[in-house]
């Protein structure tokens, strides 16, 4: 092959569409979740919760709630991404995130938030010593995420799973109190 023919062959090879060699099936299913929640379950964006060290039953319950349509207060992002998981992949995702090291707490606490949290007896269900299965850790969570969830409970945008007291009536009417509780919880280390 002469130089001109070799040049044409190389040019044609570069112009031809590249064959895709990306195989999504070759990657673990939790990597899909990592786009929002971080590979190790610590989200860089307060819109998405930290999943690292979260209760496994809680993670599974939420995935299934989004799949069934029971939970839908996310603007549709979770509702659409969970449909990409095969049923057998849910356990892989749950195990991955629940076994990661818990996220670091926020540096600043909130004394008023602690008093409000304690006065509402939220720790009865949410503190680590509690034997209730499927109850999430609220500690070391993004304050912004907690604020949104508490407002959604209060405003009827998010339901409570079966077996729990309805959360809506338990939420403060005042947004500044919600923000104080969220700031307090964000600053407490996750067990």
């Amino acid at each position: 092959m002469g130089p001109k023919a070799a040049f044409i062959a190389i040019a044609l090879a570069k112009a031809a569409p590249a064959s895709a060699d990306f195989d999504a099936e070759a990657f673990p299913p939790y990597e899909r979740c990592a786009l929002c929640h971080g590979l190790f379950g610590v989200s860089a964006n307060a819109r998405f919760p930290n999943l690292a060290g979260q209760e496994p039953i809680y993670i599974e319950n939420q995935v299934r709630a989004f799949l069934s349509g029971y939970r839908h207060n996310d603007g549709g992002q979770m509702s659409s991404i969970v449909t990409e998981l095969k049923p057998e992949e849910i356990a892989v995702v749950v195990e991955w995130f629940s076994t990661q090291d818990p996220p670091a707490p926020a540096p600043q606490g909130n004394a008023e938030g602690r008093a409000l949290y304690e006065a509402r007896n939220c720790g009865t269900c949410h503190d680590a010593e509690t034997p209730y299965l499927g109850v999430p850790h609220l500690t070391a969570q993004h304050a912004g995420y907690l604020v949104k969830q508490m407002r959604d409970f209060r405003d009827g945008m998010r339901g409570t799973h079966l077996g729990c007291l309805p959360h809506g009536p338990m939420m403060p009417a005042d947004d500044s109190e919600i923000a104080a509780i969220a700031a307090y919880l964000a600053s407490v280390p996750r067990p």
Side-chain angles (χ1 to χ4, degrees), residues 13-21:
K14 286 184 177 180
S19 62
D21 62 358

Side-chain angles (χ1 to χ4, degrees), residues 21 53 58 63 70-71 89 96 98 108 124 131 140 153 158 174:
D21 62 358
Y58 178 75
V63 168
Y70 178 74
R71 184 166 174 198
E89 292 177 328
W96 174 258
S98 67
Q108 294 291 328
T124 301
F153 278 125
R158 180 174 176 187
D174 187 332

